Amino acid sequence: RLNLREQLIREVEIIPLEVVCRNIVAGSMSQRLGIEEGTPLPRSIIEFYYKKDELNDPMVTEEHITAFNWATTQELDDILAMTVRVNDYLSGMFGAVGITLIDFKIEFGRVWENDFARVILADEISPDSCRLWDTATGEKLDKDRFRRDLGNVIESYTEVAKRLGIMKDMPTVIQGGLH
Ligand code: UDP
């Protein structure tokens, strides 16, 4: 972060996948498999979606990903390992402030160092791309408030930022836009 309005971004060659990691059933998994939202998964599940708006980002398997050269087997291994690490880190971080990480979506990109490509995380992590439920009450503190017309969108996002202690110097940005 350079200042309130700018951050330094590294350009990557984007891998055309949305990587979703789930700890508790919600959203499309609940609908597709007919499992009630809020059901804990026996273990975390990682899913891949092909980034193609015209097709509504269809779910794909590792077979598709390697067959169509969207990522190599080695890159997929790295993506899986990093996704598990991100899940562990975020679950702990949110858990410590009374928030349950239900699921999240991240993306990855390639950076080239001479002839060697390395895969790095290439996405924001925010309540726009995570499901975050208050652990005590089950209240939703994420984009579902907007998508499901539950109201209090700003209040919920603000609550997440406050609990994480990242709002002290930026309340006017979040609440009122930049002046
Ligand atoms: N997600 C996202 N962008 C997308 C699709 C999903 O950030 O284009 C996030 C979503 O917010 C949730 C997780 O990925 O945290 C799983 O989403 P799901 O497959 O349940 O789809 P949804 O019900 O959100 O459409």
Side-chain angles (χ1 to χ4, degrees), residues 74-93:
Q74 177 61 51
E75 286 174 335
L76 260 182
D77 280 353
D78 293 346
I79 287 171
L80 284 168
M82 280 189 271
T83 303
V84 168
R85 281 183 61 203
V86 169
N87 188 39
D88 286 346
Y89 185 92
L90 289 182
S91 295
M93 187 184 83

Side-chain angles (χ1 to χ4, degrees), residues 119-137:
V119 173
I120 62 170
L121 179 68
D123 204 1
E124 65 163 52
I125 295 175
S126 78
D128 274 351
S129 54
C130 300
R131 282 199 169 89
L132 304 169
W133 295 0
D134 182 274
T135 308
T137 65

Side-chain angles (χ1 to χ4, degrees), residues 25-112:
V25 176
S28 71
M29 174 180 253
S30 165
Q31 292 190 339
R32 203 177 51 251
L33 303 180
I35 305 172
E36 196 182 342
E37 276 209 319
T39 307
L41 290 164
R43 62 182 179 85
S44 303
I45 291 179
I46 295 174
E47 300 170 342
F48 300 103
Y49 295 85
Y50 177 43
K51 269 168 72 74
K52 198 82 179 167
D53 281 343
E54 311 90 276
L55 302 175
N56 288 326
D57 301 344
M59 189 194 270
V60 293
T61 68
E62 295 184 31
E63 294 277 288
H64 299 102
I65 295 167
T66 49
F68 294 123
N69 287 321
W70 296 328
T72 65
T73 311
Q74 177 61 51
E75 286 174 335
L76 260 182
D77 280 353
D78 293 346
I79 287 171
L80 284 168
M82 280 189 271
T83 303
V84 168
R85 281 183 61 203
V86 169
N87 188 39
D88 286 346
Y89 185 92
L90 289 182
S91 295
M93 187 184 83
F94 284 119
V97 296
I99 294 173
T100 305
L101 178 63
I102 306 299
D103 56 32
F104 62 89
K105 182 272 300 180
I106 47 179
E107 298 179 23
F108 293 88
R110 260 175 225 113
V111 286
W112 289 91

Side-chain angles (χ1 to χ4, degrees), residues 99 127-128 132 134 139-143 145-146 149-164 166-167 171 173-176:
I99 294 173
D128 274 351
L132 304 169
D134 182 274
E139 192 189 354
K140 294 176 174 42
L141 300 172
D142 54 60
K143 196 164 77 177
R145 295 214 72 86
F146 168 73
D149 229 352
L150 300 172
N152 293 340
V153 178
I154 291 174
E155 289 81 355
S156 299
Y157 279 42
T158 306
E159 177 65 21
V160 173
K162 273 190 187 150
R163 287 203 206 174
L164 292 174
I166 54 177
M167 255 201 62
V173 176
I174 290 192
Q175 285 166 353

